[in-house]
Amino acid sequence: MDHEHPHIISAEKPRWFKSPLGSDRLRRPSEAPPHRHDDDAFKISELRDCNNDDEGCYDGYPPFQRYEEPTLLEILYDLFFAANYNVFAQNQSVTNHSRFKAYVGYFSLLWGTWFVVTLYDVRYVTDSIFERVARAVQLGVLVGFTVVAPNFNPEDQNQSTMMTMSLILCTSRVCLAIEYAHTLIQIFKYKRARRPLYLQIAINVISAAVYLGITFRFQKQNSRVYVTWYIFTGGEAILTLVLSNFWRTLSFTRTHLMKRLSLLTVMILGEGIQTVAQNIATIVKTPDAWNPYTVGVITAATATIYCVFLVYFDWMRHLQLPALRQQLWTSLHYPFHLALVLFMQGFTQLILWGKAFNVFEHITGDWLFDTSDPSPGAIANVTSGELAAALVNKTSEIFTLYPPKYPEVRGVVNASIANISAIPDALWPALAEFQRTRNESSLSSEMVDAFATFGEQLVVVISAMANSVFTSFNIDLATELKAKHPNDTSPIKSSENQVILTDKTTSRSRLVFAYTYVACGCTLILLVMMALISRMSPLGRLPRLRFVACALAGIGIGLTALLFFAPDKADSFLAGPWPIPTVLFGWFLATLLVHIRGSRSRSAISTLHNIFGLFRPRRRNPVPDLAPRDTDADSQQVAFRFWAPTRENTGLSAAATVSNAEGNARDRRLSLRAVSPTAAPHSEPPSPRSKDPEQKFLEVDASNQV
């Protein structure tokens, strides 16, 4: 049996240099198309071909080769960016105002460097040995970003870190200038393409010189010269986009720039999924991990990220846009990616915060006193030794399930329990008497001091247990506290540190909640803006309502962060099961609105109106008709709007049935204005269809004859 052998194409070996042109041959004047003055269609098609940079264009511009999908070198570069961002997110977090500025600054430099390299790739990238070497240099730049990530803080500058960052930016721009120069050499025979590339090379050379010059401005004291990084990084990107509007050689038309940005969005969402998976692994390691709360929170978190993915790509209907729309859509991706990164980082942290609060409330609920007997006599029969023994048993149980990370925690708890056992037993009958009579004179000053001691030591014990639970979920702020007091190891200070650490942890959870909700709202609002820019069709009533509803949902989620200024309410909200599902509800609403189509919704509204019309009472005409009127005419007319008239349900002849069906077809296309009770009746000219049914039937029958 004969088999068709497949045509095997061997991979082309990379050359040292490769031209970015689709056709690497300059056309001679003799190869120009014939000059035709009498054919306007030919002129229009020729102009269209030139605007599209096709190979058949004879306007003197180089025909660059365009790619529909990102190349492997570009995808590898995007993966390095995603890995770099993940490393920075793990080493740096938003803890205060200065750390927030450092986070935004680092991400801006990283994203700006990726963006200017991407602007080169989508236009001129080739697979040659030269490009591979240049890409190795750019990957080394991203590795350098990883090196400076742990110590990057412009408010508290490390000299070597700041100098290294400046040299990294300089190296990246020098490499870009060389790559643009290589492109210039390849297309140098096209005179019209020289000047724009000269300008592009000059932009990168000037930026590299500035970055190199400010490297030596960083001394031991802090310097504000780092602001130059942000100015020139943003200026490079803006000038590159602006220049593309004046020279076709620098144009982004028919490039895969939008796909590169969408690919980076997918990678950021993928990093969020990876962090969720890591948090799940952390939760599973703890005792009694799986309960309805855990399942619900993890499901809501995963569904939220999936909804973000659906909304982004469902609103991205066009992979090619006009130049101005494309540049606006591209520029909005910087604030969008920044908001998305902050949203993903805080959102995944809320999973661990919520689980830690849930566990702590579960294990510490009603364990000190027997709440089944709230009478004062129950407290009067308690002794200090019994309370100390109960505390020893409970703390041992909790420390067995959630062992403390630092050994001094057990010593602090044992010392506090010993202080509680030393409280006089006379305190508890006096406390019971005060609870019964509410008479402050029943408590002496010694009893008040003893009760104050009991409250202070109990707070220390509870704080130590809470910190032990938090560290089991990788929520550890003790390193920040020890960095401020490295040599203070006194027992009193250790007890105070446990309380301070608990307060610091709860305040950090409120901060994470606040910036997560603000970033979530900004992400949804920016998605609405990008959808409006990329929409090529006119806005109807339903799309306007959709965009307004999604924008209001984003504003509502962002305003929820105002609970940050009410700590008690914020703590109650975070301790409950709603921080993650609240975000899911907003994104799920946006997903539903995106998938509602106008034609189906109008059809559904018309169908519901026709169904309810069957049960609507007939209107009485205030002017009595002179002619007799069929009492069933109104209900029959409403019924025919929903069920098309046929011979079986009307009993009419074939010609009359055809005529009535055609006449009622317009009635079934109802609009909200037509059926509104306030709509004014309007007269219509007589339709040509209102002729004799038998004559119409004969005409139809005659027209079907051959």
Side-chain angles (χ1 to χ4, degrees):
M1 183 175 180
D2 296 335
H3 295 277
E4 182 180 357
H5 296 282
H7 181 61
I8 301 176
I9 301 177
S10 59
E12 181 183 359
K13 293 184 178 180
R15 294 177 292 179
W16 283 100
F17 302 98
K18 186 177 180 180
S19 173
L21 301 177
S23 176
D24 197 13
R25 182 171 64 89
L26 184 64
R27 300 179 182 85
R28 300 183 179 88
S30 60
E31 297 177 335
H35 189 66
R36 300 170 61 178
H37 296 281
D38 55 344
D39 194 350
D40 294 337
F42 177 78
K43 295 179 183 178
I44 295 175
S45 64
E46 179 184 3
L47 180 61
R48 184 184 299 113
D49 291 340
C50 291
N51 289 334
N52 290 337
D53 291 343
D54 287 339
E55 189 175 346
C57 178
Y58 291 85
D59 57 357
Y61 286 99
F64 289 105
Q65 183 178 1
R66 301 303 188 194
Y67 299 91
E68 295 183 358
E69 300 291 339
T71 61
L72 293 178
L73 287 177
E74 296 175 88
I75 295 175
L76 179 63
Y77 188 71
D78 294 346
L79 289 173
F80 264 72
F81 173 89
N84 193 301
Y85 144 71
N86 191 20
V87 170
F88 177 74
Q90 292 179 356
N91 288 275
Q92 300 285 353
S93 58
V94 178
T95 59
N96 49 43
H97 184 260
S98 62
R99 291 306 310 158
F100 175 76
K101 292 195 295 185
Y103 191 99
V104 174
Y106 181 90
F107 181 83
S108 300
L109 295 176
L110 179 63
W111 194 91
T113 301
W114 172 88
F115 185 64
V116 295
V117 173
T118 299
L119 295 181
Y120 169 83
D121 290 343
V122 298
R123 294 178 292 181
Y124 313 121
V125 70
T126 58
D127 188 11
S128 62
I129 296 178
F130 168 79
E131 287 290 350
R132 294 186 178 187
V133 173
R135 188 46 44 94
V137 174
Q138 296 291 1
L139 294 178
V141 168
L142 293 185
V143 173
F145 271 95
T146 307
V147 172
V148 303
N151 299 321
F152 182 80
N153 188 0
E155 299 295 329
D156 185 14
Q157 296 176 6
N158 183 290
Q159 182 181 3
S160 60
T161 299
M162 305 301 281
M163 294 180 67
T164 303
M165 174 64 81
S166 194
L167 291 176
I168 287 171
L169 295 175
C170 175
T171 303
S172 174
R173 303 316 188 262
V174 169
C175 183
L176 266 180
I178 295 174
E179 289 182 280
Y180 279 113
H182 165 261
T183 303
L184 176 62
I185 294 173
Q186 295 293 335
I187 64 170
F188 193 77
K189 51 192 174 183
Y190 296 90
K191 294 183 179 180
R192 293 188 178 183
R194 296 177 186 175
R195 181 181 298 176
L197 283 176
Y198 284 147
L199 293 175
Q200 189 66 64
I201 294 172
I203 291 174
N204 291 279
V205 170
I206 293 174
S207 298
V210 171
Y211 295 144
L212 180 62
I214 66 175
T215 300
F216 306 100
R217 289 290 305 276
F218 294 104
Q219 303 299 329
K220 294 183 179 180
Q221 67 275 10
N222 292 346
S223 174
R224 300 286 297 177
V225 74
Y226 68 89
V227 179
T228 310
W229 296 340
Y230 308 139
I231 296 174
F232 271 79
T233 301
E236 289 178 75
I238 294 173
L239 285 177
T240 303
L241 292 176
V242 171
L243 290 178
S244 65
N245 296 310
F246 297 96
W247 286 279
R248 193 181 307 165
T249 305
L250 303 178
S251 175
F252 295 97
T253 305
R254 298 180 61 194
T255 62
H256 56 280
L257 176 60
M258 297 180 68
K259 286 192 175 181
R260 284 292 300 275
L261 291 168
S262 61
L263 179 62
L264 186 64
T265 304
V266 172
M267 290 186 178
I268 293 176
L269 293 176
E271 293 295 332
I273 292 292
Q274 178 184 354
T275 307
V276 170
Q278 293 176 351
N279 293 342
I280 293 174
T282 302
I283 293 174
V284 169
K285 294 178 182 178
T286 59
D288 299 329
W290 292 107
N291 54 18
Y293 178 87
T294 305
V295 175
V297 167
I298 293 176
T299 303
T302 308
T304 301
I305 298 177
Y306 183 57
C307 288
V308 175
F309 172 84
L310 291 179
V311 172
Y312 177 83
F313 282 96
D314 286 342
W315 269 341
M316 184 181 173
R317 298 181 179 179
H318 305 282
L319 296 177
Q320 296 294 335
L321 293 174
L324 183 59
R325 286 175 177 262
Q326 184 188 46
Q327 292 168 20
L328 290 175
W329 188 86
T330 300
S331 301
L332 282 177
H333 268 72
Y334 163 67
F336 169 70
H337 282 161
L338 176 60
L340 184 62
V341 163
L342 289 170
F343 170 44
M344 287 291 105
Q345 183 184 14
F347 186 69
T348 52
Q349 289 183 26
L350 285 179
I351 299 175
L352 293 179
W353 290 99
K355 180 62 179 177
F357 289 143
N358 178 262
V359 169
F360 182 71
E361 287 192 355
H362 177 70
I363 63 179
T364 59
D366 299 333
W367 53 272
L368 185 59
F369 297 102
D370 186 9
T371 57
S372 60
D373 186 9
S375 61
I379 302 177
N381 297 328
V382 174
T383 62
S384 299
E386 292 177 353
L387 283 177
L391 286 173
V392 169
N393 295 332
K394 191 61 180 181
T395 54
S396 299
E397 178 185 351
I398 294 176
F399 287 158
T400 301
L401 297 175
Y402 304 95
K405 185 177 180 179
Y406 303 99
E408 61 268 18
V409 175
R410 292 181 181 270
V412 170
V413 171
N414 293 334
S416 298
I417 294 177
N419 293 333
I420 292 176
S421 64
I423 294 176
D425 292 337
L427 170 65
W428 312 113
L431 187 62
E433 181 66 19
F434 171 76
Q435 183 180 3
R436 186 178 62 83
T437 62
R438 298 297 178 181
N439 185 9
E440 297 182 359
S441 61
S442 61
L443 294 177
S444 61
S445 59
E446 292 80 5
M447 295 297 101
V448 172
D449 294 339
F451 184 74
T453 302
F454 170 73
E456 293 173 358
Q457 301 303 321
L458 184 61
V459 168
V460 172
V461 173
I462 295 177
S463 299
M465 291 190 295
N467 296 332
S468 179
V469 172
F470 290 147
T471 54
S472 299
F473 290 96
N474 293 336
I475 303 173
D476 185 14
L477 305 183
T479 53
E480 300 178 9
L481 196 61
K482 288 184 177 181
K484 297 180 180 180
H485 308 282
N487 300 322
D488 195 349
T489 58
S490 62
I492 298 177
K493 191 63 179 178
S494 298
S495 301
E496 294 178 356
N497 287 342
Q498 293 300 318
V499 180
I500 295 174
L501 186 58
T502 303
D503 295 338
K504 193 178 184 65
T505 303
T506 54
S507 62
R508 181 68 57 82
S509 66
R510 292 192 294 269
L511 177 63
V512 172
F513 153 73
Y515 80 73
T516 299
Y517 271 64
V518 171
C520 176
C522 293
T523 302
L524 188 52
I525 294 173
L526 289 169
L527 273 177
V528 172
M529 296 173 62
M530 290 191 294
L532 287 171
I533 292 174
S534 62
R535 185 180 180 86
M536 302 297 295
S537 59
L539 277 176
R541 180 181 302 174
L542 183 63
R544 286 197 298 266
L545 293 176
R546 178 189 300 125
F547 289 134
V548 170
C550 291
L552 291 177
I555 294 173
I557 294 175
L559 291 178
T560 309
L562 292 176
L563 288 175
F564 174 78
F565 298 102
D568 295 337
K569 295 181 180 179
D571 292 340
S572 300
F573 180 72
L574 291 175
W578 295 108
I580 302 295
T582 301
V583 178
L584 174 61
F585 291 155
W587 284 101
F588 185 70
L589 174 62
T591 306
L592 289 180
L593 292 174
V594 168
H595 287 82
I596 293 178
R597 296 292 178 254
S599 59
R600 295 181 181 178
S601 61
R602 287 193 295 269
S603 177
I605 292 175
S606 299
T607 302
L608 290 175
H609 179 271
N610 293 332
I611 291 175
F612 288 116
L614 295 175
F615 307 98
R616 184 185 304 165
R618 295 192 299 271
R619 293 184 180 179
R620 297 184 179 274
N621 193 350
V623 180
D625 295 335
L626 299 179
R629 183 177 178 179
D630 188 4
T631 56
D632 295 333
D634 292 340
S635 59
Q636 186 178 10
Q637 184 179 3
V638 173
F640 282 173
R641 290 180 180 177
F642 187 65
W643 291 286
T646 60
R647 185 182 183 90
E648 287 75 8
N649 58 22
T650 60
L652 300 177
S653 61
T657 302
V658 171
S659 177
N660 291 337
E662 293 181 353
N664 291 331
R666 297 192 308 274
D667 295 336
R668 288 197 301 271
R669 300 191 191 96
L670 297 176
S671 63
L672 294 177
R673 180 177 299 178
V675 300
S676 174
T678 60
H682 54 277
S683 60
E684 296 183 355
S687 174
R689 296 178 180 176
S690 59
K691 57 176 63 178
D692 185 67
E694 295 295 334
Q695 182 181 357
K696 180 65 177 291
F697 180 77
L698 292 176
E699 291 178 1
V700 173
D701 184 72
S703 63
N704 293 331
Q705 297 179 2
V706 180

